[in-house]
Amino acid sequence: MKDYCPERSVKERIKGGLKRGLKELDDEICEAIRRYEEGEIGLEQYLKLRVELELKRIRIVMENLRRLSKAR
């Protein structure tokens, strides 16, 4: 029989909420790394792309935090 722990389920929901939308972003970052390693893009272009993606990550996390804080 599986134990029910409400704190754990809340914790898992919060983690899931924070991670919402980040999988696609992680895939884009991996793609940028692959393109740079294979020489498809130069260092300057890679760095610009990475900065854009990291800023996008920050925006997504902040949106998720706002959404979670409103849910309380």
Side-chain angles (χ1 to χ4, degrees), residues 15 29 43 49 57-58 64 71:
K15 280 185 177 180
I29 290 171
L43 178 61
L49 183 57
R57 173 185 294 282
I58 291 169
N64 291 345

Side-chain angles (χ1 to χ4, degrees), residues 7-72:
E7 295 89 24
R8 183 176 171 127
S9 63
V10 169
K11 185 177 179 180
E12 289 174 3
R13 283 187 301 200
I14 290 171
K15 280 185 177 180
L18 287 173
K19 292 181 180 180
R20 184 177 301 144
L22 293 178
K23 174 68 174 131
E24 296 83 17
L25 188 60
D26 288 340
D27 293 342
E28 288 181 48
I29 290 171
C30 288
E31 178 65 18
I33 292 169
R34 183 199 61 76
R35 290 177 61 202
Y36 174 68
E37 288 176 342
E38 292 181 1
E40 292 179 30
I41 59 176
L43 178 61
E44 190 172 320
Q45 191 176 8
Y46 167 73
L47 292 174
K48 182 179 178 187
L49 183 57
R50 270 308 287 266
V51 167
E52 290 172 2
L53 293 171
E54 292 301 329
L55 289 172
K56 187 175 178 181
R57 173 185 294 282
I58 291 169
R59 281 193 302 272
I60 290 171
V61 170
M62 294 304 291
E63 287 173 15
N64 291 345
L65 285 170
R66 275 193 289 277
R67 194 176 307 127
L68 285 171
S69 68
K70 287 181 182 179
R72 290 182 161 203

